[in-house]
Amino acid sequence: MSVRGYLIAEASVRDPAAYETYKALAQAAIAQYGGRYLVRGGDSEVLEGGWAKPPRLVIVEFESPEQARRFYASPEYQAARTARLAVADMNMLVVAGVDNLL
């Protein structure tokens, strides 16, 4: 069983027009490091507990947690991050998951 890496981010966007630059740069970096979007800002609904509904939620799958970390530390993503800092606040984490549980 292989361990997959899932990058989960929630963003609060202050300037949607400027955020488009970040999205384009981040998308290119994600593709370069083998990631694929599973969730990209779709509507969400809290079903249970004290969660606050995130304004924007993104989930990206990578082949491993290490590859997700390589993406995050890459010069390509750091350029995207720099473009984002003034226009959105973001919380981001990487989660180890498994492939083919059944």
Side-chain angles (χ1 to χ4, degrees), residues 3-102:
V3 176
R4 308 294 284 176
Y6 297 92
L7 186 139
I8 303 172
E10 64 172 359
S12 178
V13 179
R14 294 185 302 277
D15 184 341
Y19 190 74
E20 291 299 317
T21 299
Y22 164 76
K23 283 173 41 179
L25 291 169
Q27 182 175 349
I30 285 168
Q32 183 175 342
Y33 286 83
R36 72 180 185 107
Y37 286 98
L38 300 178
V39 173
R40 190 175 182 186
D43 191 32
S44 64
E45 175 184 355
V46 175
L47 297 177
E48 187 173 332
W51 282 50
K53 180 178 174 176
R56 179 174 178 80
L57 184 69
V58 176
I59 302 174
V60 180
E61 180 183 47
F62 289 91
E63 67 183 34
S64 67
E66 294 77 22
Q67 186 66 4
R69 288 184 198 97
R70 280 191 284 280
F71 151 77
Y72 181 78
S74 73
E76 296 84 5
Y77 181 69
Q78 291 306 304
R81 186 174 178 271
T82 298
R84 186 202 76 228
L85 288 176
V87 302
D89 297 317
M90 186 169 285
N91 294 315
M92 187 181 299
L93 54 90
V94 63
V95 178
V98 292
D99 195 21
N100 299 324
L101 287 173
L102 300 176

